[in-house]
Amino acid sequence: MSLRTLGILIALELVGAALWIHHRSSQQTPTEKNFALLDEATATDLRELHQRLMRSVDAGQDNAKSWLAMADAYATYGYFREASRYYRRATQLDARNAKATFRWALCLDRLARFPEAIDRFEQTVSLTRDPRQRQACHYFVGKIHLKQEQPEKAIQAFRSGGKYIPCQYELANLLIRTGRVNDAEPLLKSLDRYATAIGVHLIRARAAEARGDLDTAAAHYDAAERGDEITLHLTDRGYLKKFHALYGTARMSNEGYELARQGKQKEGLDILHTAFEQNQVVLMQPFYIRLEMAVNGPQAARQMIHNRIDRMGESPEFLELLGDTYWEESDDRQAETAWLESAKMQGSSSVHEKLAQLYQQRSEAEKVRYHQGEALYEKGVAAYRANDLKTAQQALVRAMQAIPQKANGWFYLGQTLRVQQNETQAREAYERCLAINPYHGRASQFLVSTDTIAEP
């Protein structure tokens, strides 16, 4: 081979190498975020995910799926700037990936890059075959317009969502707020299948107020207290929630709880301990405390409770658990102290039942009657708020026989009777409430309006 030919070949190889280097440098290199704000277990899982992506990039085997997984992980833990770059790369590798485009739009929304977010939502509408995803795009576009104080554009976006309930709910609410209650009426009718939802009662109350129909408004506000907690809006967290369980302490805690539920208490508890060492705020649940008590005894569980109280302060739930640990050791004095503190902060039927049992053993009849009455009161109020009126009435009648000086007990008994159209007895209950507490505003309100408030 002549020197001339050899020189040409070397030159061609150098040009080829330069072109390859340029090509690789033009690709977005996945850079790792500093995960110092995350617990170590979660940070380790995200680093491993990043390293797998790096290896696939180095091998030329990366694809939209691998970049999307890393983007979803970043977005799940609030690293929206980094997530945006990775979503961008996923869509570059698969321009028709509707999921990546949609989640990128959510991410841009979080970054307040509103025009770009709207562009991506609109692009998703043209890409997706899922009608619900198209409607969700219109919903989020409408919410962006509201953030920018553009109600007319928001109305147009929500209308584009068609019969999608979140869009109809937001549209009805917006029309009422902008003085177009008559235009909102057909939308309110479309919400009939969610008529028991708290949000639907509230929006219908606002519509009635706008029409000057104060009795109907009062009826809906009243019914909202007994409404169902049905979610009628969307958030980006709803789309990212499923990814949270894939990593770190969330993944470990799910594994631990599942093992415990399968009867493998020791194995599950060991995993929970490891997870808790990494993330002591999120993972402290009553189930964890009870599992610790079952495996390692009440003293170990009590130490966990004291550690939590030292970090986060007292709560009725954990004070009740603290009393349970003492009761397990037959230390009724310490159990009594903890349970009474729990009941003082926020009563529950279970803590009053435990106190009644304790006083039963001591033959303290008055205290037994008081705490049995309080337990029935808590059950009655819970049943009333769940709209289980028969159960509520039965529990509250029995409660008032035991604790007749509890003003709120008479009030909720009055509420339960009134809703069942028993006006005479309802008035008597409100009057009993006011005789004990003349300043009970809600009892005064409903006593005056007993004959006018109807069920919506």
Side-chain angles (χ1 to χ4, degrees):
M1 181 184 296
S2 67
L3 290 176
R4 177 182 176 82
T5 302
L6 180 61
I8 292 172
L9 289 174
I10 292 173
L12 290 172
E13 288 181 1
L14 289 173
V15 170
L19 290 173
W20 170 247
I21 291 171
H22 175 73
H23 169 73
R24 295 302 293 170
S25 64
S26 67
Q27 305 300 304
Q28 183 172 352
T29 303
T31 56
E32 180 183 322
K33 177 68 179 176
N34 182 348
F35 298 122
L37 295 178
L38 299 179
D39 59 78
E40 188 54 40
T42 304
T44 297
D45 281 358
L46 295 190
R47 289 191 189 101
E48 290 178 358
L49 181 64
H50 182 268
Q51 288 167 4
R52 288 199 298 271
L53 176 57
M54 285 289 292
R55 288 194 293 270
S56 69
V57 171
D58 291 341
Q61 298 174 346
D62 57 311
N63 54 32
K65 184 178 179 180
S66 58
W67 285 83
L68 181 58
M70 193 73 235
D72 288 335
Y74 274 132
T76 297
Y77 290 95
Y79 297 109
F80 296 109
R81 192 176 302 279
E82 291 74 15
S84 177
R85 293 199 293 267
Y86 283 55
Y87 284 129
R88 179 189 295 275
R89 182 58 183 149
T91 60
Q92 288 173 344
L93 292 170
D94 182 0
R96 300 201 59 78
N97 191 319
K99 288 183 179 179
T101 306
F102 178 71
R103 292 177 199 158
W104 186 16
L106 293 174
C107 189
L108 291 166
D109 185 4
R110 273 299 189 106
L111 293 169
R113 291 160 58 180
F114 296 137
E116 295 173 75
I118 291 173
D119 286 345
R120 298 287 78 76
F121 281 126
E122 291 176 348
Q123 184 181 1
T124 304
V125 169
S126 67
L127 292 175
T128 186
R129 297 179 179 179
D130 182 354
R132 285 297 180 89
Q133 190 173 54
R134 283 196 294 271
Q135 292 167 324
C137 288
H138 294 305
Y139 175 89
F140 283 111
V141 169
K143 297 294 279 187
I144 288 174
H145 286 313
L146 286 180
K147 293 174 190 176
Q148 296 181 300
E149 299 183 6
Q150 298 171 332
E152 296 308 316
K153 289 186 177 181
I155 287 172
Q156 182 179 352
F158 292 136
R159 287 195 191 282
S160 298
K163 296 183 178 180
Y164 191 45
I165 289 298
C167 285
Q168 291 190 315
Y169 178 78
E170 293 290 344
L171 178 57
N173 203 20
L174 186 52
L175 289 171
I176 292 167
R177 285 166 50 197
T178 54
R180 287 170 275 188
V181 67
N182 290 335
D183 292 342
E185 289 298 338
L187 296 164
L188 295 176
K189 184 66 177 175
S190 71
L191 297 173
D192 277 350
R193 57 180 158 152
Y194 300 102
T196 61
I198 295 171
V200 172
H201 279 303
L202 293 177
I203 195 172
R204 286 179 169 166
R206 288 192 287 271
E209 284 179 329
R211 293 192 304 268
D213 185 354
L214 299 185
D215 289 343
T216 299
H220 279 295
Y221 281 129
D222 177 39
E225 186 178 13
R226 294 172 283 110
D228 297 323
E229 293 185 6
I230 299 173
T231 301
L232 299 172
H233 63 275
L234 304 179
T235 68
D236 60 344
R237 304 310 296 173
Y239 292 93
L240 296 172
K241 183 178 180 180
K242 60 184 176 181
F243 303 114
H244 188 259
L246 299 177
Y247 307 111
T249 53
R251 170 183 55 77
M252 294 167 66
S253 63
N254 287 340
E255 292 172 359
Y257 286 131
E258 184 56 34
L259 284 171
R261 292 187 186 98
Q262 294 172 4
K264 300 176 182 178
Q265 292 185 322
K266 181 64 167 62
E267 296 91 329
L269 186 61
D270 287 342
I271 293 176
L272 287 171
H273 278 321
T274 302
F276 185 65
E277 289 172 2
Q278 297 289 324
N279 190 339
Q280 298 189 10
V281 174
V282 175
L283 298 172
M284 178 67 80
Q285 302 295 334
F287 181 87
Y288 183 21
I289 300 293
R290 298 193 185 282
L291 184 60
E292 177 74 16
M293 186 154 57
V295 174
N296 294 323
Q299 188 171 354
R302 189 157 56 246
Q303 185 60 49
M304 290 173 61
I305 296 169
H306 282 305
N307 288 340
R308 183 192 186 278
I309 289 174
D310 288 343
R311 289 193 319 274
M312 304 183 67
E314 294 180 341
S315 71
E317 187 175 43
F318 281 90
L319 282 171
E320 183 177 346
L321 285 169
L322 181 62
D324 294 349
T325 67
Y326 286 118
W327 184 256
E328 189 74 14
E329 294 178 325
S330 300
D331 186 346
D332 64 318
R333 293 293 177 186
Q334 295 274 34
E336 177 186 21
T337 299
W339 286 339
L340 286 172
E341 284 298 313
S342 174
K344 188 187 301 182
M345 292 181 71
Q346 180 179 324
S348 70
S349 60
S350 61
V351 77
H352 285 294
E353 287 170 346
K354 292 168 185 175
L355 284 162
Q357 180 184 357
L358 183 152
Y359 293 125
Q360 184 75 51
Q361 291 185 0
R362 296 183 187 171
S363 299
E364 298 185 48
E366 282 299 316
K367 291 182 178 179
V368 171
R369 182 163 48 252
Y370 171 79
H371 287 288
Q372 286 177 340
E374 288 287 347
L376 286 165
Y377 165 78
E378 295 292 347
K379 289 179 179 178
V381 172
Y384 169 76
R385 288 176 175 158
N387 210 30
D388 183 356
L389 300 176
K390 293 296 184 184
T391 300
Q393 181 178 341
Q394 291 170 2
L396 289 167
V397 166
R398 292 173 59 200
M400 291 303 92
Q401 292 169 352
I403 48 174
Q405 292 304 307
K406 190 174 184 70
N408 260 0
W410 290 110
F411 168 72
Y412 278 107
L413 179 56
Q415 293 287 81
T416 302
L417 292 165
R418 178 184 54 77
V419 174
Q420 296 179 92
Q421 309 299 316
N422 192 336
E423 304 291 347
T424 301
Q425 288 186 305
R427 290 181 66 85
E428 291 174 0
Y430 292 138
E431 288 169 352
R432 292 287 296 269
C433 171
L434 290 165
I436 299 166
N437 178 9
Y439 304 104
H440 198 295
R442 294 186 71 197
S444 299
Q445 171 195 348
F446 284 106
L447 179 62
V448 170
S449 57
T450 299
D451 297 325
T452 58
I453 294 183
E455 279 295 281

